[in-house]
Amino acid sequence: EVQLVESGGDSVQPGGSLRLSCVGSGFTFSNYWMHWVRQAPGRGLVWVSRIYSDGSGASYADSVKGRFTISRDNAKNTVFLQMNSLRVEDTAVYYCARDFSHALDVWGQGTTVIVSS
Amino acid sequence: QSALTQPASVSGSPGQSITISCTGTNSDVGNYNLVSWYQQHPGKAPKVIISGVTRRSSGVSNRFSGSKSGNTASLTISGLQAEDEADYFCCSYAGSYTWLFGGGTKLTVL
């Protein structure tokens, strides 16, 4: 079964850091670009970041550029999202998703990040 | 990077057809045939139903169809069923390896 499982969500204070992980299984992880997408409570989906299949390049939404870093370890079938200088407005469920022809065809169940003092 | 524009809500009776619009610009929707649509039930992860503007995902009913004209993409659901009640999001590739989602549309089946 093709599957993505996120972890690492937590409650942190503004200015803090968190590292999210997403493990893929049931497919050749190293063949696919991967994305992170977030959804604030009661709000819509927002694209956050994408990384090439070999990790050689990444892109970010303006709202997280310079604060978040996406990376991957293909030997462990894992993509990461390092989140620094967290703000209250970063509070959301964070999903990782697989890219297939510029659509997101497999999604994880999400991990919750709460930024609050 | 402004979100694509979708109606906040649409509704229809069982058996009817509805269409959800998704309006962008000539930098995203209008410039690429890379619009996808996602269905999200409460408390669940999104599920892709349409990619590449018109391509239905495996296992998705042929009651779902996608189209595009200029800067506006559309999702049509025919023969509405109770299980279609969900939130629907469009997404477009926006160039420079960035993507934009719409704000989402809540579909109510009356």
Side-chain angles (χ1 to χ4, degrees):
Chain A
E1 179 192 5
V2 174
Q3 196 173 9
L4 295 170
V5 179
E6 303 96 336
S7 61
D10 204 347
S11 182
V12 295
Q13 293 189 333
S17 297
L18 273 179
R19 189 194 200 202
L20 306 183
S21 300
C22 168
V23 179
S25 59
F27 63 101
T28 305
F29 185 82
S30 59
N31 284 354
Y32 292 87
W33 296 2
M34 296 296 296
H35 298 257
W36 287 96
V37 175
R38 69 185 181 184
Q39 186 170 34
R43 305 295 295 276
L45 301 172
V46 176
W47 176 79
V48 172
S49 182
R50 172 235 56 146
I51 188 167
Y52 279 130
S53 54
D54 63 358
S56 62
S59 49
Y60 301 91
D62 287 345
S63 58
V64 306
K65 202 173 293 182
R67 300 188 299 122
F68 290 11
T69 302
I70 190 172
S71 62
R72 65 191 297 162
D73 182 344
N74 284 341
K76 296 183 178 180
N77 291 348
T78 303
V79 61
F80 304 98
L81 187 67
Q82 177 67 44
M83 305 187 296
N84 299 331
S85 302
L86 282 162
R87 304 168 179 168
V88 171
E89 55 265 33
D90 295 320
T91 295
V93 174
Y94 284 74
Y95 296 99
C96 68
R98 187 179 78 172
D99 185 291
F100 184 78
S101 297
H102 288 49
L104 282 58
D105 72 331
V106 179
W107 294 65
Q109 84 289 349
T111 188
T112 299
V113 172
I114 299 172
V115 185
S116 173
S117 54
Chain B
Q1 293 180 343
S2 299
L4 307 176
T5 301
Q6 297 182 233
S9 63
V10 298
S11 62
S13 299
Q16 287 186 332
S17 294
I18 62 95
T19 297
I20 299 171
S21 61
C22 169
T23 301
T25 70
N26 52 19
S27 296
D28 38 69
V29 174
N31 201 34
Y32 305 97
N33 287 323
L34 292 171
V35 175
S36 48
W37 288 90
Y38 302 84
Q39 178 190 62
Q40 186 180 35
H41 286 106
K44 300 294 188 182
K47 166 191 167 185
V48 64
I49 53 176
I50 298 284
S51 61
V53 179
T54 61
R55 187 170 57 246
R56 231 177 356 261
S57 298
S58 175
V60 172
S61 170
N62 59 10
R63 297 184 298 104
F64 292 82
S65 62
S67 62
K68 191 184 88 166
S69 178
N71 295 339
T72 298
S74 298
L75 172 70
T76 298
I77 309 174
S78 59
L80 268 179
Q81 298 180 1
E83 61 261 34
D84 299 334
E85 186 162 292
D87 293 326
Y88 291 84
F89 296 90
C90 62
C91 180
S92 176
Y93 179 67
S96 300
Y97 299 107
T98 64
W99 281 256
L100 277 177
F101 279 93
T105 299
K106 180 177 181 60
L107 169 62
T108 300
V109 180
L110 302 171

